[in-house]
Amino acid sequence: MQTITITKTANPKQKPDPAKMGFGNYFTDHMFLMNYDAGEGWHNPRIVPYGPIPLDPSAMCLHYGQEVFEGMKAYRNAEGEAVLFRPDRNMARLNISNERLCIPLVDEKLAVEAVKQLVAVDEDWIPQGKDTALYIRPFIIAVDPHLGVHPAEHLLFMIIMSPVGSYYKEGINPVKIFVEQEYVRAVKGGMGFTKTAGNYAASLKAQEKALKNGYSQVLWLDGVERKYIEEVGTMNVFFKLGDEVITPSLEGSILGGITRMSSIQLLESKGISVSERRLSLDEVVAAADRGELMEAFGTGTAAVISPIGELIVGDRHIVINNNQIGPVAKMLYTELTDIQNGRIPDPFGWVVKVRG
Ligand code: COI
């Protein structure tokens, strides 16, 4: 494996007040960089002081969106050691995104090592306090100074980190979700299963509309029939209809979330099977009419578990579980955050120490 060089800052920054951090507003003292040049491959992995990067105005990522990213978190366990949650899965997914966007694959072990070393350097930035973590954002951009449309020959892999609180201001309290029936996010054959900037750009218009009306996020339907449930803005989504826990199957237009995967494994370890299948909005509404829409919640790295208290479908406001967090969402939130923060043993081998 290539050696990662480390240059430390001479001017460490003041850390933010954990109670006022919000999400993604502050950045740590260091960042990771690695270059790709055709003929040379990925090279020069390095940790340097955090700061602006030189970028030619013609850099291809700025024009054609050849970019991928990941989201993961570092925590402190009960012994105060810095830990990561399933970093290997993030880097495997990064390469899934890379493959779709014609970005040269990265060495997943080196990428995990880069995260570990960066977190170790900025360990003091892991915030203390309920519902806080150090959010880690690996990303790759195409930097060729060129306006033709073709896969880049020069790229930059970076990792930056931000101490964060809850993603939604509601925290673990239920959010209101607007079912989007006008705009679509992705279609099969497109890039919906990847973590790339364009998917999030595609979501802004609908999100703005939802926010204006007082809702936190949108629930996307499939882009072809506008019938099947896909995902919520920044999260995968689960419904409990009667006794069945359902999450939309991964068929090419939905992101394969690490929290989604972990939630399914956790539920199954408790004897609760999860149906990964197509789920139509009509089926959810019919279940609500019968009084069988028991729970709904989103799962994601940033948001962790976010209960859905109200679903807005056209003129209808469907209140779920009296706008209270339901037992399945509550159990998942508690177990996941307890495992991540080392408050209970990790029977799955998901938690990885940053040192050693
Ligand atoms: C994450 O959950 O890590 C995400 O990538 C969502 C993000 C766009 C804030």
PDB file of all heavy atoms in Angstrom, residues 130-131 165-175 235 295-300 302-309 323-337:
ATOM      1  N   LYS A 130     -24.758  14.385  22.858  1.00  0.00           N
ATOM      2  CA  LYS A 130     -25.789  13.514  22.293  1.00  0.00           C
ATOM      3  C   LYS A 130     -26.039  13.850  20.824  1.00  0.00           C
ATOM      4  O   LYS A 130     -26.095  15.013  20.447  1.00  0.00           O
ATOM      5  CB  LYS A 130     -27.067  13.714  23.115  1.00  0.00           C
ATOM      6  CG  LYS A 130     -28.033  12.543  22.983  1.00  0.00           C
ATOM      7  CD  LYS A 130     -29.210  12.713  23.904  1.00  0.00           C
ATOM      8  CE  LYS A 130     -30.508  12.117  23.371  1.00  0.00           C
ATOM      9  NZ  LYS A 130     -30.429  11.182  22.306  1.00  0.00           N
ATOM     10  N   ASP A 131     -26.162  12.806  20.024  1.00  0.00           N
ATOM     11  CA  ASP A 131     -26.485  12.954  18.603  1.00  0.00           C
ATOM     12  C   ASP A 131     -25.444  13.745  17.821  1.00  0.00           C
ATOM     13  O   ASP A 131     -25.773  14.383  16.820  1.00  0.00           O
ATOM     14  CB  ASP A 131     -27.875  13.579  18.421  1.00  0.00           C
ATOM     15  CG  ASP A 131     -28.963  12.711  19.010  1.00  0.00           C
ATOM     16  OD1 ASP A 131     -28.771  11.475  19.029  1.00  0.00           O
ATOM     17  OD2 ASP A 131     -29.979  13.241  19.473  1.00  0.00           O
ATOM     18  N   GLY A 165     -24.089  17.905  14.355  1.00  0.00           N
ATOM     19  CA  GLY A 165     -25.206  17.492  15.194  1.00  0.00           C
ATOM     20  C   GLY A 165     -26.238  16.828  14.280  1.00  0.00           C
ATOM     21  O   GLY A 165     -25.893  16.288  13.229  1.00  0.00           O
ATOM     22  N   SER A 166     -27.504  16.902  14.642  1.00  0.00           N
ATOM     23  CA  SER A 166     -28.561  16.252  13.856  1.00  0.00           C
ATOM     24  C   SER A 166     -28.673  16.892  12.470  1.00  0.00           C
ATOM     25  O   SER A 166     -28.494  18.093  12.317  1.00  0.00           O
ATOM     26  CB  SER A 166     -29.912  16.432  14.544  1.00  0.00           C
ATOM     27  OG  SER A 166     -29.900  15.744  15.755  1.00  0.00           O
ATOM     28  N   TYR A 167     -28.987  16.066  11.484  1.00  0.00           N
ATOM     29  CA  TYR A 167     -29.164  16.577  10.122  1.00  0.00           C
ATOM     30  C   TYR A 167     -30.456  17.381  10.016  1.00  0.00           C
ATOM     31  O   TYR A 167     -30.480  18.466   9.448  1.00  0.00           O
ATOM     32  CB  TYR A 167     -29.189  15.413   9.122  1.00  0.00           C
ATOM     33  CG  TYR A 167     -29.217  15.899   7.688  1.00  0.00           C
ATOM     34  CD1 TYR A 167     -28.048  16.393   7.099  1.00  0.00           C
ATOM     35  CD2 TYR A 167     -30.385  15.898   6.935  1.00  0.00           C
ATOM     36  CE1 TYR A 167     -28.056  16.869   5.807  1.00  0.00           C
ATOM     37  CE2 TYR A 167     -30.393  16.370   5.635  1.00  0.00           C
ATOM     38  CZ  TYR A 167     -29.225  16.855   5.073  1.00  0.00           C
ATOM     39  OH  TYR A 167     -29.236  17.325   3.785  1.00  0.00           O
ATOM     40  N   TYR A 168     -31.520  16.835  10.558  1.00  0.00           N
ATOM     41  CA  TYR A 168     -32.797  17.563  10.573  1.00  0.00           C
ATOM     42  C   TYR A 168     -32.943  18.292  11.894  1.00  0.00           C
ATOM     43  O   TYR A 168     -32.564  17.748  12.929  1.00  0.00           O
ATOM     44  CB  TYR A 168     -33.981  16.603  10.409  1.00  0.00           C
ATOM     45  CG  TYR A 168     -34.019  15.945   9.059  1.00  0.00           C
ATOM     46  CD1 TYR A 168     -33.896  14.574   8.934  1.00  0.00           C
ATOM     47  CD2 TYR A 168     -34.183  16.700   7.902  1.00  0.00           C
ATOM     48  CE1 TYR A 168     -33.927  13.961   7.688  1.00  0.00           C
ATOM     49  CE2 TYR A 168     -34.203  16.099   6.660  1.00  0.00           C
ATOM     50  CZ  TYR A 168     -34.085  14.734   6.559  1.00  0.00           C
ATOM     51  OH  TYR A 168     -34.103  14.149   5.335  1.00  0.00           O
ATOM     52  N   LYS A 169     -33.519  19.474  11.846  1.00  0.00           N
ATOM     53  CA  LYS A 169     -33.691  20.230  13.092  1.00  0.00           C
ATOM     54  C   LYS A 169     -34.610  19.464  14.041  1.00  0.00           C
ATOM     55  O   LYS A 169     -34.532  19.605  15.254  1.00  0.00           O
ATOM     56  CB  LYS A 169     -34.214  21.644  12.807  1.00  0.00           C
ATOM     57  CG  LYS A 169     -35.611  21.722  12.246  1.00  0.00           C
ATOM     58  CD  LYS A 169     -36.100  23.151  12.162  1.00  0.00           C
ATOM     59  CE  LYS A 169     -37.466  23.331  11.518  1.00  0.00           C
ATOM     60  NZ  LYS A 169     -38.266  22.180  11.090  1.00  0.00           N
ATOM     61  N   GLU A 170     -35.447  18.584  13.477  1.00  0.00           N
ATOM     62  CA  GLU A 170     -36.351  17.785  14.312  1.00  0.00           C
ATOM     63  C   GLU A 170     -35.592  16.745  15.134  1.00  0.00           C
ATOM     64  O   GLU A 170     -36.154  16.143  16.052  1.00  0.00           O
ATOM     65  CB  GLU A 170     -37.388  17.045  13.451  1.00  0.00           C
ATOM     66  CG  GLU A 170     -38.441  17.930  12.802  1.00  0.00           C
ATOM     67  CD  GLU A 170     -38.013  18.470  11.443  1.00  0.00           C
ATOM     68  OE1 GLU A 170     -36.795  18.422  11.151  1.00  0.00           O
ATOM     69  OE2 GLU A 170     -38.863  18.954  10.695  1.00  0.00           O
ATOM     70  N   GLY A 171     -34.307  16.456  14.747  1.00  0.00           N
ATOM     71  CA  GLY A 171     -33.556  15.405  15.445  1.00  0.00           C
ATOM     72  C   GLY A 171     -34.248  14.068  15.251  1.00  0.00           C
ATOM     73  O   GLY A 171     -34.555  13.677  14.133  1.00  0.00           O
ATOM     74  N   ILE A 172     -34.530  13.392  16.355  1.00  0.00           N
ATOM     75  CA  ILE A 172     -35.190  12.081  16.264  1.00  0.00           C
ATOM     76  C   ILE A 172     -36.719  12.227  16.299  1.00  0.00           C
ATOM     77  O   ILE A 172     -37.458  11.257  16.248  1.00  0.00           O
ATOM     78  CB  ILE A 172     -34.628  11.124  17.350  1.00  0.00           C
ATOM     79  CG1 ILE A 172     -35.175   9.686  17.236  1.00  0.00           C
ATOM     80  CG2 ILE A 172     -34.856  11.660  18.745  1.00  0.00           C
ATOM     81  CD1 ILE A 172     -34.767   8.978  15.988  1.00  0.00           C
ATOM     82  N   ASN A 173     -37.207  13.471  16.348  1.00  0.00           N
ATOM     83  CA  ASN A 173     -38.656  13.662  16.305  1.00  0.00           C
ATOM     84  C   ASN A 173     -39.168  13.500  14.869  1.00  0.00           C
ATOM     85  O   ASN A 173     -38.446  13.771  13.918  1.00  0.00           O
ATOM     86  CB  ASN A 173     -39.033  15.047  16.840  1.00  0.00           C
ATOM     87  CG  ASN A 173     -38.654  15.166  18.299  1.00  0.00           C
ATOM     88  OD1 ASN A 173     -38.891  14.233  19.066  1.00  0.00           O
ATOM     89  ND2 ASN A 173     -38.035  16.267  18.668  1.00  0.00           N
ATOM     90  N   PRO A 174     -40.421  13.071  14.709  1.00  0.00           N
ATOM     91  CA  PRO A 174     -40.939  12.784  13.366  1.00  0.00           C
ATOM     92  C   PRO A 174     -40.936  13.994  12.429  1.00  0.00           C
ATOM     93  O   PRO A 174     -41.161  15.122  12.855  1.00  0.00           O
ATOM     94  CB  PRO A 174     -42.364  12.309  13.651  1.00  0.00           C
ATOM     95  CG  PRO A 174     -42.305  11.777  15.035  1.00  0.00           C
ATOM     96  CD  PRO A 174     -41.359  12.677  15.763  1.00  0.00           C
ATOM     97  N   VAL A 175     -40.641  13.717  11.155  1.00  0.00           N
ATOM     98  CA  VAL A 175     -40.624  14.768  10.130  1.00  0.00           C
ATOM     99  C   VAL A 175     -41.856  14.620   9.223  1.00  0.00           C
ATOM    100  O   VAL A 175     -42.465  13.552   9.140  1.00  0.00           O
ATOM    101  CB  VAL A 175     -39.343  14.705   9.269  1.00  0.00           C
ATOM    102  CG1 VAL A 175     -38.121  15.078  10.088  1.00  0.00           C
ATOM    103  CG2 VAL A 175     -39.147  13.333   8.639  1.00  0.00           C
ATOM    104  N   MET A 235     -32.273   9.976   2.299  1.00  0.00           N
ATOM    105  CA  MET A 235     -32.384   8.730   3.087  1.00  0.00           C
ATOM    106  C   MET A 235     -33.081   7.627   2.280  1.00  0.00           C
ATOM    107  O   MET A 235     -33.883   7.922   1.391  1.00  0.00           O
ATOM    108  CB  MET A 235     -33.266   8.961   4.327  1.00  0.00           C
ATOM    109  CG  MET A 235     -32.826  10.066   5.247  1.00  0.00           C
ATOM    110  SD  MET A 235     -33.887  10.167   6.705  1.00  0.00           S
ATOM    111  CE  MET A 235     -35.379  10.900   6.035  1.00  0.00           C
ATOM    112  N   GLU A 295     -45.978   2.380  10.782  1.00  0.00           N
ATOM    113  CA  GLU A 295     -44.764   3.198  10.970  1.00  0.00           C
ATOM    114  C   GLU A 295     -44.142   3.509   9.633  1.00  0.00           C
ATOM    115  O   GLU A 295     -44.300   2.723   8.675  1.00  0.00           O
ATOM    116  CB  GLU A 295     -43.701   2.369  11.724  1.00  0.00           C
ATOM    117  CG  GLU A 295     -43.729   2.482  13.197  1.00  0.00           C
ATOM    118  CD  GLU A 295     -42.477   1.855  13.821  1.00  0.00           C
ATOM    119  OE1 GLU A 295     -41.364   2.308  13.562  1.00  0.00           O
ATOM    120  OE2 GLU A 295     -42.650   0.894  14.590  1.00  0.00           O
ATOM    121  N   ALA A 296     -43.417   4.605   9.573  1.00  0.00           N
ATOM    122  CA  ALA A 296     -42.568   4.891   8.413  1.00  0.00           C
ATOM    123  C   ALA A 296     -41.355   5.644   8.942  1.00  0.00           C
ATOM    124  O   ALA A 296     -41.470   6.426   9.889  1.00  0.00           O
ATOM    125  CB  ALA A 296     -43.314   5.731   7.390  1.00  0.00           C
ATOM    126  N   PHE A 297     -40.201   5.368   8.340  1.00  0.00           N
ATOM    127  CA  PHE A 297     -38.995   6.095   8.774  1.00  0.00           C
ATOM    128  C   PHE A 297     -37.936   6.045   7.682  1.00  0.00           C
ATOM    129  O   PHE A 297     -37.938   5.153   6.830  1.00  0.00           O
ATOM    130  CB  PHE A 297     -38.416   5.530  10.086  1.00  0.00           C
ATOM    131  CG  PHE A 297     -38.168   4.045  10.066  1.00  0.00           C
ATOM    132  CD1 PHE A 297     -36.947   3.530   9.660  1.00  0.00           C
ATOM    133  CD2 PHE A 297     -39.159   3.164  10.442  1.00  0.00           C
ATOM    134  CE1 PHE A 297     -36.710   2.159   9.636  1.00  0.00           C
ATOM    135  CE2 PHE A 297     -38.945   1.778  10.423  1.00  0.00           C
ATOM    136  CZ  PHE A 297     -37.718   1.289  10.016  1.00  0.00           C
ATOM    137  N   GLY A 298     -37.054   7.032   7.725  1.00  0.00           N
ATOM    138  CA  GLY A 298     -35.938   7.085   6.794  1.00  0.00           C
ATOM    139  C   GLY A 298     -34.679   6.606   7.497  1.00  0.00           C
ATOM    140  O   GLY A 298     -34.566   6.676   8.728  1.00  0.00           O
ATOM    141  N   THR A 299     -33.709   6.094   6.698  1.00  0.00           N
ATOM    142  CA  THR A 299     -32.415   5.688   7.246  1.00  0.00           C
ATOM    143  C   THR A 299     -31.316   6.322   6.399  1.00  0.00           C
ATOM    144  O   THR A 299     -31.419   6.353   5.178  1.00  0.00           O
ATOM    145  CB  THR A 299     -32.234   4.158   7.190  1.00  0.00           C
ATOM    146  OG1 THR A 299     -32.219   3.733   5.814  1.00  0.00           O
ATOM    147  CG2 THR A 299     -33.340   3.422   7.920  1.00  0.00           C
ATOM    148  N   GLY A 300     -30.277   6.825   7.039  1.00  0.00           N
ATOM    149  CA  GLY A 300     -29.161   7.409   6.285  1.00  0.00           C
ATOM    150  C   GLY A 300     -28.018   7.725   7.224  1.00  0.00           C
ATOM    151  O   GLY A 300     -28.222   7.833   8.440  1.00  0.00           O
ATOM    152  N   ALA A 302     -26.242  10.537   7.444  1.00  0.00           N
ATOM    153  CA  ALA A 302     -26.380  11.877   8.023  1.00  0.00           C
ATOM    154  C   ALA A 302     -27.526  11.909   9.028  1.00  0.00           C
ATOM    155  O   ALA A 302     -27.388  12.404  10.136  1.00  0.00           O
ATOM    156  CB  ALA A 302     -26.587  12.912   6.921  1.00  0.00           C
ATOM    157  N   ALA A 303     -28.686  11.371   8.627  1.00  0.00           N
ATOM    158  CA  ALA A 303     -29.891  11.484   9.449  1.00  0.00           C
ATOM    159  C   ALA A 303     -30.037  10.344  10.466  1.00  0.00           C
ATOM    160  O   ALA A 303     -30.873  10.433  11.363  1.00  0.00           O
ATOM    161  CB  ALA A 303     -31.120  11.534   8.542  1.00  0.00           C
ATOM    162  N   VAL A 304     -29.287   9.273  10.339  1.00  0.00           N
ATOM    163  CA  VAL A 304     -29.376   8.029  11.120  1.00  0.00           C
ATOM    164  C   VAL A 304     -30.764   7.403  10.892  1.00  0.00           C
ATOM    165  O   VAL A 304     -30.995   6.803   9.849  1.00  0.00           O
ATOM    166  CB  VAL A 304     -29.088   8.225  12.626  1.00  0.00           C
ATOM    167  CG1 VAL A 304     -28.854   6.861  13.295  1.00  0.00           C
ATOM    168  CG2 VAL A 304     -27.861   9.110  12.854  1.00  0.00           C
ATOM    169  N   ILE A 305     -31.689   7.568  11.852  1.00  0.00           N
ATOM    170  CA  ILE A 305     -33.058   7.080  11.679  1.00  0.00           C
ATOM    171  C   ILE A 305     -33.959   8.297  11.858  1.00  0.00           C
ATOM    172  O   ILE A 305     -33.856   9.007  12.858  1.00  0.00           O
ATOM    173  CB  ILE A 305     -33.442   6.023  12.735  1.00  0.00           C
ATOM    174  CG1 ILE A 305     -32.502   4.799  12.671  1.00  0.00           C
ATOM    175  CG2 ILE A 305     -34.910   5.597  12.613  1.00  0.00           C
ATOM    176  CD1 ILE A 305     -32.632   3.915  11.472  1.00  0.00           C
ATOM    177  N   SER A 306     -34.819   8.534  10.907  1.00  0.00           N
ATOM    178  CA  SER A 306     -35.680   9.706  10.996  1.00  0.00           C
ATOM    179  C   SER A 306     -37.141   9.275  10.809  1.00  0.00           C
ATOM    180  O   SER A 306     -37.549   8.926   9.698  1.00  0.00           O
ATOM    181  CB  SER A 306     -35.259  10.715   9.929  1.00  0.00           C
ATOM    182  OG  SER A 306     -36.062  11.843   9.999  1.00  0.00           O
ATOM    183  N   PRO A 307     -37.917   9.260  11.901  1.00  0.00           N
ATOM    184  CA  PRO A 307     -39.302   8.814  11.788  1.00  0.00           C
ATOM    185  C   PRO A 307     -40.124   9.785  10.930  1.00  0.00           C
ATOM    186  O   PRO A 307     -39.897  10.993  10.972  1.00  0.00           O
ATOM    187  CB  PRO A 307     -39.814   8.829  13.225  1.00  0.00           C
ATOM    188  CG  PRO A 307     -38.705   9.251  14.079  1.00  0.00           C
ATOM    189  CD  PRO A 307     -37.552   9.671  13.249  1.00  0.00           C
ATOM    190  N   ILE A 308     -41.045   9.237  10.179  1.00  0.00           N
ATOM    191  CA  ILE A 308     -41.939  10.078   9.377  1.00  0.00           C
ATOM    192  C   ILE A 308     -43.273  10.156  10.127  1.00  0.00           C
ATOM    193  O   ILE A 308     -43.915   9.133  10.376  1.00  0.00           O
ATOM    194  CB  ILE A 308     -42.136   9.488   7.964  1.00  0.00           C
ATOM    195  CG1 ILE A 308     -40.773   9.394   7.260  1.00  0.00           C
ATOM    196  CG2 ILE A 308     -43.134  10.320   7.148  1.00  0.00           C
ATOM    197  CD1 ILE A 308     -40.786   8.680   5.922  1.00  0.00           C
ATOM    198  N   GLY A 309     -43.646  11.374  10.513  1.00  0.00           N
ATOM    199  CA  GLY A 309     -44.873  11.550  11.299  1.00  0.00           C
ATOM    200  C   GLY A 309     -46.062  11.899  10.433  1.00  0.00           C
ATOM    201  O   GLY A 309     -47.218  11.701  10.836  1.00  0.00           O
ATOM    202  N   ASN A 323     -48.060  10.763  14.945  1.00  0.00           N
ATOM    203  CA  ASN A 323     -46.910  11.667  14.878  1.00  0.00           C
ATOM    204  C   ASN A 323     -45.866  11.373  15.959  1.00  0.00           C
ATOM    205  O   ASN A 323     -45.151  12.266  16.405  1.00  0.00           O
ATOM    206  CB  ASN A 323     -47.395  13.117  15.002  1.00  0.00           C
ATOM    207  CG  ASN A 323     -46.604  14.019  14.086  1.00  0.00           C
ATOM    208  OD1 ASN A 323     -45.520  13.645  13.639  1.00  0.00           O
ATOM    209  ND2 ASN A 323     -47.139  15.188  13.817  1.00  0.00           N
ATOM    210  N   GLN A 324     -45.783  10.116  16.351  1.00  0.00           N
ATOM    211  CA  GLN A 324     -44.802   9.703  17.377  1.00  0.00           C
ATOM    212  C   GLN A 324     -43.826   8.716  16.734  1.00  0.00           C
ATOM    213  O   GLN A 324     -44.202   8.000  15.809  1.00  0.00           O
ATOM    214  CB  GLN A 324     -45.492   8.944  18.528  1.00  0.00           C
ATOM    215  CG  GLN A 324     -46.568   9.717  19.258  1.00  0.00           C
ATOM    216  CD  GLN A 324     -45.989  10.901  19.989  1.00  0.00           C
ATOM    217  OE1 GLN A 324     -44.977  10.776  20.663  1.00  0.00           O
ATOM    218  NE2 GLN A 324     -46.616  12.066  19.837  1.00  0.00           N
ATOM    219  N   ILE A 325     -42.614   8.669  17.270  1.00  0.00           N
ATOM    220  CA  ILE A 325     -41.679   7.640  16.800  1.00  0.00           C
ATOM    221  C   ILE A 325     -42.237   6.264  17.149  1.00  0.00           C
ATOM    222  O   ILE A 325     -42.746   6.052  18.255  1.00  0.00           O
ATOM    223  CB  ILE A 325     -40.259   7.856  17.382  1.00  0.00           C
ATOM    224  CG1 ILE A 325     -39.297   6.800  16.847  1.00  0.00           C
ATOM    225  CG2 ILE A 325     -40.252   7.916  18.894  1.00  0.00           C
ATOM    226  CD1 ILE A 325     -37.827   7.092  17.116  1.00  0.00           C
ATOM    227  N   GLY A 326     -42.211   5.342  16.193  1.00  0.00           N
ATOM    228  CA  GLY A 326     -42.765   3.999  16.422  1.00  0.00           C
ATOM    229  C   GLY A 326     -41.719   3.060  17.001  1.00  0.00           C
ATOM    230  O   GLY A 326     -40.524   3.377  17.028  1.00  0.00           O
ATOM    231  N   PRO A 327     -42.159   1.886  17.458  1.00  0.00           N
ATOM    232  CA  PRO A 327     -41.225   0.965  18.136  1.00  0.00           C
ATOM    233  C   PRO A 327     -40.091   0.456  17.253  1.00  0.00           C
ATOM    234  O   PRO A 327     -38.972   0.271  17.741  1.00  0.00           O
ATOM    235  CB  PRO A 327     -42.120  -0.187  18.608  1.00  0.00           C
ATOM    236  CG  PRO A 327     -43.458   0.022  17.977  1.00  0.00           C
ATOM    237  CD  PRO A 327     -43.548   1.439  17.509  1.00  0.00           C
ATOM    238  N   VAL A 328     -40.345   0.226  15.984  1.00  0.00           N
ATOM    239  CA  VAL A 328     -39.277  -0.311  15.125  1.00  0.00           C
ATOM    240  C   VAL A 328     -38.203   0.763  14.916  1.00  0.00           C
ATOM    241  O   VAL A 328     -37.000   0.519  15.088  1.00  0.00           O
ATOM    242  CB  VAL A 328     -39.835  -0.795  13.755  1.00  0.00           C
ATOM    243  CG1 VAL A 328     -38.698  -1.247  12.849  1.00  0.00           C
ATOM    244  CG2 VAL A 328     -40.832  -1.937  13.961  1.00  0.00           C
ATOM    245  N   ALA A 329     -38.644   1.974  14.585  1.00  0.00           N
ATOM    246  CA  ALA A 329     -37.688   3.076  14.369  1.00  0.00           C
ATOM    247  C   ALA A 329     -36.901   3.360  15.651  1.00  0.00           C
ATOM    248  O   ALA A 329     -35.692   3.576  15.621  1.00  0.00           O
ATOM    249  CB  ALA A 329     -38.415   4.327  13.908  1.00  0.00           C
ATOM    250  N   LYS A 330     -37.593   3.313  16.770  1.00  0.00           N
ATOM    251  CA  LYS A 330     -36.942   3.619  18.047  1.00  0.00           C
ATOM    252  C   LYS A 330     -35.877   2.571  18.384  1.00  0.00           C
ATOM    253  O   LYS A 330     -34.756   2.902  18.783  1.00  0.00           O
ATOM    254  CB  LYS A 330     -38.000   3.671  19.154  1.00  0.00           C
ATOM    255  CG  LYS A 330     -37.495   4.308  20.404  1.00  0.00           C
ATOM    256  CD  LYS A 330     -38.653   4.569  21.346  1.00  0.00           C
ATOM    257  CE  LYS A 330     -38.189   4.945  22.675  1.00  0.00           C
ATOM    258  NZ  LYS A 330     -37.668   6.037  23.106  1.00  0.00           N
ATOM    259  N   MET A 331     -36.252   1.315  18.174  1.00  0.00           N
ATOM    260  CA  MET A 331     -35.303   0.240  18.452  1.00  0.00           C
ATOM    261  C   MET A 331     -34.075   0.383  17.542  1.00  0.00           C
ATOM    262  O   MET A 331     -32.923   0.300  17.996  1.00  0.00           O
ATOM    263  CB  MET A 331     -35.992  -1.109  18.237  1.00  0.00           C
ATOM    264  CG  MET A 331     -35.152  -2.314  18.560  1.00  0.00           C
ATOM    265  SD  MET A 331     -34.042  -2.807  17.248  1.00  0.00           S
ATOM    266  CE  MET A 331     -35.182  -3.671  16.174  1.00  0.00           C
ATOM    267  N   LEU A 332     -34.305   0.646  16.242  1.00  0.00           N
ATOM    268  CA  LEU A 332     -33.177   0.770  15.308  1.00  0.00           C
ATOM    269  C   LEU A 332     -32.281   1.940  15.690  1.00  0.00           C
ATOM    270  O   LEU A 332     -31.057   1.823  15.691  1.00  0.00           O
ATOM    271  CB  LEU A 332     -33.693   0.983  13.878  1.00  0.00           C
ATOM    272  CG  LEU A 332     -34.163  -0.268  13.155  1.00  0.00           C
ATOM    273  CD1 LEU A 332     -34.735   0.108  11.791  1.00  0.00           C
ATOM    274  CD2 LEU A 332     -33.017  -1.262  12.978  1.00  0.00           C
ATOM    275  N   TYR A 333     -32.901   3.070  16.014  1.00  0.00           N
ATOM    276  CA  TYR A 333     -32.113   4.252  16.374  1.00  0.00           C
ATOM    277  C   TYR A 333     -31.242   3.955  17.596  1.00  0.00           C
ATOM    278  O   TYR A 333     -30.044   4.227  17.614  1.00  0.00           O
ATOM    279  CB  TYR A 333     -33.039   5.443  16.646  1.00  0.00           C
ATOM    280  CG  TYR A 333     -32.261   6.647  17.106  1.00  0.00           C
ATOM    281  CD1 TYR A 333     -31.600   7.454  16.182  1.00  0.00           C
ATOM    282  CD2 TYR A 333     -32.137   6.950  18.458  1.00  0.00           C
ATOM    283  CE1 TYR A 333     -30.833   8.531  16.604  1.00  0.00           C
ATOM    284  CE2 TYR A 333     -31.376   8.024  18.888  1.00  0.00           C
ATOM    285  CZ  TYR A 333     -30.728   8.815  17.957  1.00  0.00           C
ATOM    286  OH  TYR A 333     -29.966   9.867  18.374  1.00  0.00           O
ATOM    287  N   THR A 334     -31.878   3.370  18.620  1.00  0.00           N
ATOM    288  CA  THR A 334     -31.153   3.109  19.867  1.00  0.00           C
ATOM    289  C   THR A 334     -30.022   2.113  19.643  1.00  0.00           C
ATOM    290  O   THR A 334     -28.875   2.348  20.033  1.00  0.00           O
ATOM    291  CB  THR A 334     -32.135   2.560  20.932  1.00  0.00           C
ATOM    292  OG1 THR A 334     -33.233   3.463  20.992  1.00  0.00           O
ATOM    293  CG2 THR A 334     -31.505   2.455  22.289  1.00  0.00           C
ATOM    294  N   GLU A 335     -30.339   1.012  18.971  1.00  0.00           N
ATOM    295  CA  GLU A 335     -29.308  -0.031  18.788  1.00  0.00           C
ATOM    296  C   GLU A 335     -28.172   0.462  17.896  1.00  0.00           C
ATOM    297  O   GLU A 335     -27.006   0.233  18.193  1.00  0.00           O
ATOM    298  CB  GLU A 335     -29.944  -1.281  18.166  1.00  0.00           C
ATOM    299  CG  GLU A 335     -30.946  -1.940  19.071  1.00  0.00           C
ATOM    300  CD  GLU A 335     -30.445  -3.238  19.696  1.00  0.00           C
ATOM    301  OE1 GLU A 335     -29.512  -3.843  19.151  1.00  0.00           O
ATOM    302  OE2 GLU A 335     -31.003  -3.624  20.742  1.00  0.00           O
ATOM    303  N   LEU A 336     -28.521   1.136  16.810  1.00  0.00           N
ATOM    304  CA  LEU A 336     -27.477   1.594  15.888  1.00  0.00           C
ATOM    305  C   LEU A 336     -26.550   2.598  16.572  1.00  0.00           C
ATOM    306  O   LEU A 336     -25.330   2.479  16.497  1.00  0.00           O
ATOM    307  CB  LEU A 336     -28.099   2.272  14.664  1.00  0.00           C
ATOM    308  CG  LEU A 336     -28.494   1.376  13.503  1.00  0.00           C
ATOM    309  CD1 LEU A 336     -29.218   2.185  12.427  1.00  0.00           C
ATOM    310  CD2 LEU A 336     -27.267   0.699  12.888  1.00  0.00           C
ATOM    311  N   THR A 337     -27.144   3.587  17.238  1.00  0.00           N
ATOM    312  CA  THR A 337     -26.296   4.610  17.861  1.00  0.00           C
ATOM    313  C   THR A 337     -25.546   4.023  19.071  1.00  0.00           C
ATOM    314  O   THR A 337     -24.426   4.417  19.338  1.00  0.00           O
ATOM    315  CB  THR A 337     -27.104   5.873  18.249  1.00  0.00           C
ATOM    316  OG1 THR A 337     -28.203   5.485  19.056  1.00  0.00           O
ATOM    317  CG2 THR A 337     -27.600   6.615  17.028  1.00  0.00           C
TER     318      THR A 337
END
